Amino acid sequence: MEYNIALQFEDGVTGFIKCEADETVAEAAYRQKFNIPVDCLDGACGTCRCHCESGSYDMHPDMYIEDALTEAEAEEGYVLTCQMIPESDCVIKVPTSSEACKVGKSVFKGKLQQLNVLSESTIHFGVEVDNPDALVFLPGQYVNVSIPDSNETRSYSFSSIPSANQAEFVVRNIPNGKMSTFLSDTATIGQEINFEGPFGSFYLRPLIRPTLFLAGGTGIAPFLSMLKSLEVSGAHHPVRMVYGVTNDFDLIEVEKLEEVKQNHPWFDYRTCVATEDSSHERKGYVTGHVDNEWLNDGDVDVYLCGPLGMVDAVSNWLDSSNLKPCNFYYEKFTPSEQ
Protein backbone atom coordinates (compact mmCIF):
# COMPACT_ATOMS: atom_id res chain seq x y z
CA MET A 1 0.00 0.00 0.00
CA GLU A 2 1.25 3.45 -0.93
CA TYR A 3 -0.26 6.85 -0.11
CA ASN A 4 0.05 10.27 -1.76
CA ILE A 5 1.20 12.90 0.72
CA ALA A 6 0.91 16.59 -0.23
CA LEU A 7 3.40 18.81 1.59
CA GLN A 8 2.27 22.44 1.57
CA PHE A 9 5.04 24.95 2.27
CA GLU A 10 4.71 28.52 3.53
CA ASP A 11 5.70 30.04 0.18
CA GLY A 12 2.72 28.42 -1.56
CA VAL A 13 4.62 25.56 -3.19
CA THR A 14 3.12 22.07 -2.86
CA GLY A 15 5.32 19.00 -3.10
CA PHE A 16 4.06 15.43 -3.38
CA ILE A 17 5.70 12.30 -2.00
CA LYS A 18 4.74 8.63 -1.90
CA CYS A 19 4.61 7.08 1.56
CA GLU A 20 4.74 3.31 1.89
CA ALA A 21 2.91 1.25 4.51
CA ASP A 22 4.53 1.52 7.96
CA GLU A 23 6.80 4.34 6.75
CA THR A 24 6.80 7.68 8.56
CA VAL A 25 6.27 10.88 6.62
CA ALA A 26 9.78 12.05 7.52
CA GLU A 27 11.32 8.82 6.25
CA ALA A 28 9.35 9.04 3.00
CA ALA A 29 10.24 12.71 2.52
CA TYR A 30 13.97 12.18 2.94
CA ARG A 31 13.92 9.08 0.77
CA GLN A 32 12.55 11.33 -1.99
CA LYS A 33 14.99 14.18 -1.21
CA PHE A 34 12.50 16.52 0.53
CA ASN A 35 14.49 17.96 3.43
CA ILE A 36 11.61 18.81 5.75
CA PRO A 37 12.55 19.95 9.28
CA VAL A 38 13.67 17.07 11.53
CA ASP A 39 16.21 16.64 14.30
CA CYS A 40 15.95 13.83 16.83
CA LEU A 41 13.68 11.43 14.87
CA ASP A 42 12.51 10.09 18.24
CA GLY A 43 9.48 12.29 18.94
CA ALA A 44 11.35 14.23 21.59
CA CYS A 45 12.31 17.64 20.15
CA GLY A 46 9.25 18.86 18.22
CA THR A 47 11.36 20.15 15.29
CA CYS A 48 9.25 18.23 12.77
CA ARG A 49 5.91 19.54 14.09
CA CYS A 50 3.46 20.17 11.23
CA HIS A 51 -0.31 20.33 10.78
CA CYS A 52 -2.29 17.61 9.01
CA GLU A 53 -5.05 19.34 7.04
CA SER A 54 -6.73 16.15 5.90
CA GLY A 55 -6.27 12.40 5.96
CA SER A 56 -5.93 9.68 8.60
CA TYR A 57 -2.78 8.45 10.27
CA ASP A 58 -1.37 6.54 13.21
CA MET A 59 0.63 8.48 15.77
CA HIS A 60 0.14 6.94 19.21
CA PRO A 61 0.92 9.21 22.20
CA ASP A 62 3.46 6.64 23.43
CA MET A 63 5.52 7.45 20.33
CA TYR A 64 6.45 10.98 21.47
CA ILE A 65 6.74 13.13 24.59
CA GLU A 66 4.44 16.02 25.54
CA ASP A 67 7.26 18.54 25.33
CA ALA A 68 7.34 17.82 21.60
CA LEU A 69 3.56 17.77 21.07
CA THR A 70 0.86 18.43 23.63
CA GLU A 71 -2.39 16.49 23.82
CA ALA A 72 -4.34 19.61 22.84
CA GLU A 73 -2.14 20.14 19.77
CA ALA A 74 -2.59 16.52 18.72
CA GLU A 75 -6.37 16.90 18.98
CA GLU A 76 -6.15 19.95 16.69
CA GLY A 77 -4.40 17.90 14.00
CA TYR A 78 -0.78 18.77 14.70
CA VAL A 79 1.64 15.94 14.04
CA LEU A 80 5.29 14.98 14.35
CA THR A 81 6.31 13.78 10.91
CA CYS A 82 9.04 11.59 12.40
CA GLN A 83 6.32 9.53 14.13
CA MET A 84 3.36 9.98 11.77
CA ILE A 85 2.45 6.89 9.73
CA PRO A 86 -0.26 7.71 7.15
CA GLU A 87 -3.27 5.44 6.74
CA SER A 88 -4.68 7.37 3.76
CA ASP A 89 -3.70 10.17 1.39
CA CYS A 90 -2.86 13.26 3.47
CA VAL A 91 -2.30 17.00 3.14
CA ILE A 92 0.30 18.36 5.55
CA LYS A 93 1.23 22.00 6.15
CA VAL A 94 4.97 22.41 6.72
CA PRO A 95 5.84 25.61 8.65
CA THR A 96 8.78 26.65 6.48
CA SER A 97 9.53 27.52 2.85
CA SER A 98 10.11 25.03 0.07
CA GLU A 99 13.48 26.64 -0.57
CA ALA A 100 14.59 25.95 3.00
CA CYS A 101 13.64 22.31 2.46
CA LYS A 102 15.47 22.21 -0.88
CA VAL A 103 12.26 21.44 -2.71
CA GLY A 104 12.38 22.74 -6.26
CA LYS A 105 9.34 23.92 -8.16
CA SER A 106 8.05 21.26 -10.54
CA VAL A 107 8.18 22.33 -14.18
CA PHE A 108 5.96 20.52 -16.67
CA LYS A 109 6.51 20.60 -20.41
CA GLY A 110 3.73 19.78 -22.82
CA LYS A 111 1.95 20.53 -26.06
CA LEU A 112 -1.22 22.46 -26.70
CA GLN A 113 -3.90 19.92 -27.69
CA GLN A 114 -7.18 21.79 -27.17
CA LEU A 115 -8.09 25.41 -27.84
CA ASN A 116 -11.71 26.55 -27.75
CA VAL A 117 -13.36 29.95 -27.53
CA LEU A 118 -16.23 29.37 -25.08
CA SER A 119 -17.55 32.94 -25.33
CA GLU A 120 -16.32 36.39 -26.26
CA SER A 121 -14.86 36.64 -22.75
CA THR A 122 -13.58 33.12 -22.11
CA ILE A 123 -11.08 30.67 -23.60
CA HIS A 124 -10.55 27.01 -22.78
CA PHE A 125 -7.27 25.23 -23.51
CA GLY A 126 -5.78 21.83 -22.77
CA VAL A 127 -2.13 20.77 -22.52
CA GLU A 128 -0.89 17.23 -23.02
CA VAL A 129 1.96 16.91 -20.53
CA ASP A 130 5.14 15.01 -21.41
CA ASN A 131 5.23 13.26 -18.01
CA PRO A 132 1.54 12.93 -17.00
CA ASP A 133 2.26 10.52 -14.14
CA ALA A 134 4.26 13.26 -12.40
CA LEU A 135 1.42 15.79 -12.66
CA VAL A 136 -0.12 15.65 -9.19
CA PHE A 137 -2.16 18.41 -7.61
CA LEU A 138 -5.10 19.02 -5.28
CA PRO A 139 -8.42 19.93 -6.96
CA GLY A 140 -8.61 23.73 -6.78
CA GLN A 141 -4.89 24.47 -7.05
CA TYR A 142 -3.22 26.53 -9.78
CA VAL A 143 -0.04 26.66 -11.83
CA ASN A 144 1.98 29.42 -13.48
CA VAL A 145 1.70 28.99 -17.25
CA SER A 146 4.52 30.40 -19.38
CA ILE A 147 3.58 32.66 -22.27
CA PRO A 148 5.50 31.29 -25.29
CA ASP A 149 8.29 33.55 -26.57
CA SER A 150 8.12 35.55 -23.35
CA ASN A 151 9.59 35.56 -19.86
CA GLU A 152 6.16 36.13 -18.36
CA THR A 153 3.69 33.72 -16.77
CA ARG A 154 0.00 33.78 -15.88
CA SER A 155 -1.62 31.95 -12.98
CA TYR A 156 -4.47 29.61 -13.87
CA SER A 157 -6.44 27.09 -11.83
CA PHE A 158 -6.87 23.59 -13.20
CA SER A 159 -10.37 22.83 -14.46
CA SER A 160 -9.36 19.19 -14.92
CA ILE A 161 -8.54 16.55 -12.32
CA PRO A 162 -5.10 15.02 -11.65
CA SER A 163 -5.99 11.74 -13.35
CA ALA A 164 -7.09 13.43 -16.61
CA ASN A 165 -5.16 12.84 -19.83
CA GLN A 166 -4.65 16.58 -20.24
CA ALA A 167 -4.25 19.58 -17.97
CA GLU A 168 -7.15 21.87 -18.79
CA PHE A 169 -7.82 25.52 -18.01
CA VAL A 170 -10.69 28.00 -18.41
CA VAL A 171 -9.37 31.56 -18.60
CA ARG A 172 -10.61 35.07 -19.19
CA ASN A 173 -9.94 36.64 -22.59
CA ILE A 174 -8.45 40.03 -21.67
CA PRO A 175 -8.30 42.52 -24.58
CA ASN A 176 -4.64 43.10 -25.44
CA GLY A 177 -3.55 40.72 -22.67
CA LYS A 178 -0.36 38.87 -23.57
CA MET A 179 -1.66 35.37 -22.88
CA SER A 180 -5.06 36.18 -24.34
CA THR A 181 -3.47 37.53 -27.52
CA PHE A 182 -1.32 34.43 -27.82
CA LEU A 183 -4.29 32.07 -27.37
CA SER A 184 -6.55 34.11 -29.68
CA ASP A 185 -4.16 35.01 -32.48
CA THR A 186 -1.03 32.90 -32.67
CA ALA A 187 -1.40 29.63 -30.75
CA THR A 188 -1.36 26.41 -32.79
CA ILE A 189 -2.25 22.87 -31.81
CA GLY A 190 0.93 20.95 -31.01
CA GLN A 191 2.82 24.06 -29.91
CA GLU A 192 4.98 23.66 -26.82
CA ILE A 193 3.57 25.20 -23.66
CA ASN A 194 4.99 24.82 -20.17
CA PHE A 195 3.90 25.52 -16.60
CA GLU A 196 5.20 25.15 -13.06
CA GLY A 197 3.49 24.31 -9.80
CA PRO A 198 1.15 23.39 -8.27
CA PHE A 199 0.56 26.26 -5.88
CA GLY A 200 -2.09 27.50 -3.48
CA SER A 201 -3.99 26.60 -0.34
CA PHE A 202 -7.36 26.76 -2.13
CA TYR A 203 -8.22 23.11 -2.65
CA LEU A 204 -11.01 20.68 -1.86
CA ARG A 205 -10.91 19.26 1.65
CA PRO A 206 -12.71 16.01 2.61
CA LEU A 207 -16.46 16.66 2.77
CA ILE A 208 -17.56 16.25 6.39
CA ARG A 209 -20.55 18.63 6.31
CA PRO A 210 -22.74 20.48 3.74
CA THR A 211 -20.63 22.58 1.39
CA LEU A 212 -21.33 25.79 -0.56
CA PHE A 213 -19.37 26.79 -3.67
CA LEU A 214 -19.48 30.46 -4.76
CA ALA A 215 -17.94 31.12 -8.18
CA GLY A 216 -17.45 34.39 -10.04
CA GLY A 217 -16.53 34.53 -13.74
CA THR A 218 -13.61 32.25 -14.62
CA GLY A 219 -13.50 31.40 -10.92
CA ILE A 220 -15.66 28.49 -12.09
CA ALA A 221 -12.46 26.67 -13.18
CA PRO A 222 -11.30 25.24 -9.82
CA PHE A 223 -14.85 24.19 -9.00
CA LEU A 224 -15.02 22.17 -12.21
CA SER A 225 -11.94 20.32 -11.00
CA MET A 226 -13.49 19.82 -7.56
CA LEU A 227 -16.80 18.56 -8.95
CA LYS A 228 -15.10 16.14 -11.32
CA SER A 229 -13.08 14.81 -8.38
CA LEU A 230 -16.23 14.40 -6.29
CA GLU A 231 -17.84 12.50 -9.13
CA VAL A 232 -15.00 9.99 -8.83
CA SER A 233 -14.82 9.81 -5.02
CA GLY A 234 -18.50 10.38 -4.22
CA ALA A 235 -20.01 12.83 -1.74
CA HIS A 236 -21.88 12.02 1.46
CA HIS A 237 -23.01 15.59 2.13
CA PRO A 238 -24.88 18.12 -0.04
CA VAL A 239 -22.81 20.36 -2.31
CA ARG A 240 -24.51 23.54 -3.58
CA MET A 241 -23.18 26.21 -5.90
CA VAL A 242 -24.05 29.74 -6.93
CA TYR A 243 -22.21 30.82 -10.07
CA GLY A 244 -22.35 34.53 -10.89
CA VAL A 245 -21.06 36.52 -13.86
CA THR A 246 -21.28 40.09 -15.15
CA ASN A 247 -22.89 39.51 -18.57
CA ASP A 248 -25.03 36.78 -20.08
CA PHE A 249 -22.24 35.71 -22.42
CA ASP A 250 -19.88 35.20 -19.47
CA LEU A 251 -21.84 32.13 -18.35
CA ILE A 252 -19.84 29.14 -19.54
CA GLU A 253 -19.60 25.41 -18.83
CA VAL A 254 -23.14 25.40 -17.41
CA GLU A 255 -23.87 22.17 -19.29
CA LYS A 256 -21.18 20.47 -17.20
CA LEU A 257 -22.81 21.69 -13.99
CA GLU A 258 -26.16 20.45 -15.24
CA GLU A 259 -24.68 17.06 -16.03
CA VAL A 260 -23.34 16.70 -12.50
CA LYS A 261 -26.71 17.74 -11.08
CA GLN A 262 -28.60 15.22 -13.20
CA ASN A 263 -26.27 12.36 -12.31
CA HIS A 264 -25.64 13.07 -8.63
CA PRO A 265 -28.39 13.93 -6.11
CA TRP A 266 -25.86 15.48 -3.74
CA PHE A 267 -25.31 18.46 -6.10
CA ASP A 268 -27.47 21.48 -6.90
CA TYR A 269 -26.60 24.84 -8.41
CA ARG A 270 -27.97 28.10 -9.75
CA THR A 271 -26.55 30.90 -11.87
CA CYS A 272 -27.01 34.67 -11.82
CA VAL A 273 -25.97 37.67 -13.91
CA ALA A 274 -25.14 41.08 -12.45
CA THR A 275 -25.93 43.33 -15.43
CA GLU A 276 -29.36 44.95 -15.01
CA ASP A 277 -30.38 44.55 -18.65
CA SER A 278 -29.61 40.83 -18.57
CA SER A 279 -32.26 38.42 -19.88
CA HIS A 280 -31.27 35.85 -17.27
CA GLU A 281 -33.94 34.67 -14.84
CA ARG A 282 -31.78 35.57 -11.82
CA LYS A 283 -30.09 38.96 -11.63
CA GLY A 284 -27.70 40.43 -9.11
CA TYR A 285 -24.85 38.94 -7.12
CA VAL A 286 -24.28 35.46 -5.73
CA THR A 287 -25.05 36.55 -2.16
CA GLY A 288 -28.62 37.33 -3.19
CA HIS A 289 -29.25 33.79 -4.39
CA VAL A 290 -28.09 31.65 -1.47
CA ASP A 291 -30.95 29.86 0.28
CA ASN A 292 -30.82 29.99 4.07
CA GLU A 293 -31.14 26.21 4.02
CA TRP A 294 -27.86 26.01 2.11
CA LEU A 295 -26.08 27.78 4.98
CA ASN A 296 -27.24 25.08 7.42
CA ASP A 297 -27.21 27.47 10.42
CA GLY A 298 -23.47 27.94 9.97
CA ASP A 299 -22.62 24.23 9.92
CA VAL A 300 -21.25 24.59 6.41
CA ASP A 301 -17.94 24.90 4.58
CA VAL A 302 -17.85 27.80 2.11
CA TYR A 303 -15.51 27.89 -0.89
CA LEU A 304 -15.20 31.08 -2.94
CA CYS A 305 -13.24 31.85 -6.09
CA GLY A 306 -13.69 35.12 -7.93
CA PRO A 307 -12.44 38.68 -8.41
CA LEU A 308 -11.10 40.65 -5.46
CA GLY A 309 -14.29 42.71 -5.13
CA MET A 310 -16.38 39.55 -4.91
CA VAL A 311 -14.23 38.15 -2.11
CA ASP A 312 -14.66 41.37 -0.12
CA ALA A 313 -18.41 41.46 -0.79
CA VAL A 314 -18.96 37.87 0.35
CA SER A 315 -16.83 38.41 3.45
CA ASN A 316 -18.88 41.50 4.36
CA TRP A 317 -22.10 39.61 3.68
CA LEU A 318 -21.12 36.81 6.03
CA ASP A 319 -20.10 39.32 8.71
CA SER A 320 -23.33 41.33 8.41
CA SER A 321 -25.45 38.19 8.59
CA ASN A 322 -23.70 37.18 11.84
CA LEU A 323 -23.18 33.78 10.26
CA LYS A 324 -19.78 32.25 10.73
CA PRO A 325 -19.29 29.13 8.59
CA CYS A 326 -17.18 26.33 9.99
CA ASN A 327 -14.61 27.09 7.31
CA PHE A 328 -14.29 29.81 4.67
CA TYR A 329 -11.77 29.06 1.93
CA TYR A 330 -11.20 31.51 -0.90
CA GLU A 331 -9.07 32.29 -3.91
CA LYS A 332 -9.11 35.76 -5.45
CA PHE A 333 -7.71 37.00 -8.73
CA THR A 334 -7.30 40.22 -10.70
CA PRO A 335 -7.42 40.75 -14.50
CA SER A 336 -3.67 41.43 -14.54
CA GLU A 337 -3.16 37.78 -13.75
CA GLN A 338 -4.85 36.80 -16.97
Side-chain angles (χ1 to χ4, degrees), residues 51-130:
H51 187 264
C52 185
E53 295 281 290
S54 67
S56 58
Y57 53 88
D58 178 35
M59 197 181 69
H60 195 275
D62 292 343
M63 300 161 68
Y64 59 89
I65 65 173
E66 188 168 6
D67 284 349
L69 189 73
T70 67
E71 181 179 350
E73 289 173 331
E75 290 177 354
E76 292 175 2
Y78 286 94
V79 296
L80 300 177
T81 58
C82 75
Q83 302 300 316
M84 175 189 179
I85 299 177
E87 296 178 335
S88 73
D89 294 346
C90 295
V91 179
I92 300 172
K93 279 197 170 181
V94 183
T96 189
S97 69
S98 61
E99 184 178 358
C101 297
K102 299 181 180 179
V103 177
K105 298 175 183 177
S106 297
V107 177
F108 298 91
K109 297 181 181 297
K111 291 180 173 59
L112 188 66
Q113 293 297 337
Q114 292 187 59
L115 183 58
N116 308 297
V117 177
L118 300 182
S119 75
E120 61 185 88
S121 64
T122 315
I123 299 173
H124 161 269
F125 68 95
V127 179
E128 187 176 276
V129 181
D130 292 347

Side-chain angles (χ1 to χ4, degrees), residues 3-9 12-17 51-55 88-94 108 134-143 156-163 168-169 195 197-206 221-230 303 329 331:
Y3 300 112
N4 289 315
I5 310 299
L7 301 175
Q8 285 209 309
F9 299 96
V13 174
T14 301
F16 290 85
I17 60 173
H51 187 264
C52 185
E53 295 281 290
S54 67
S88 73
D89 294 346
C90 295
V91 179
I92 300 172
K93 279 197 170 181
V94 183
F108 298 91
L135 181 58
V136 185
F137 59 90
L138 302 171
Q141 289 191 302
Y142 70 91
V143 289
Y156 298 132
S157 299
F158 290 102
S159 62
S160 54
I161 58 176
S163 59
E168 297 184 36
F169 308 91
F195 56 83
F199 303 102
S201 58
F202 184 74
Y203 59 86
L204 182 65
R205 277 72 172 175
F223 292 118
L224 293 174
S225 179
M226 293 180 185
L227 287 171
K228 291 172 185 174
S229 298
L230 288 172
Y303 291 75
Y329 307 109
E331 186 83 276

Side-chain angles (χ1 to χ4, degrees), residues 205-235:
R205 277 72 172 175
L207 263 63
I208 59 174
R209 59 179 59 86
T211 299
L212 175 63
F213 292 163
L214 300 175
T218 52
I220 189 67
F223 292 118
L224 293 174
S225 179
M226 293 180 185
L227 287 171
K228 291 172 185 174
S229 298
L230 288 172
E231 285 193 286
V232 174
S233 65

Side-chain angles (χ1 to χ4, degrees), residues 256-272:
K256 293 183 179 179
L257 302 181
E258 185 64 24
E259 183 178 346
V260 178
K261 177 180 178 178
Q262 294 301 320
N263 293 332
H264 302 282
W266 44 261
F267 179 65
D268 195 8
Y269 78 99
R270 60 187 50 157
T271 57
C272 60

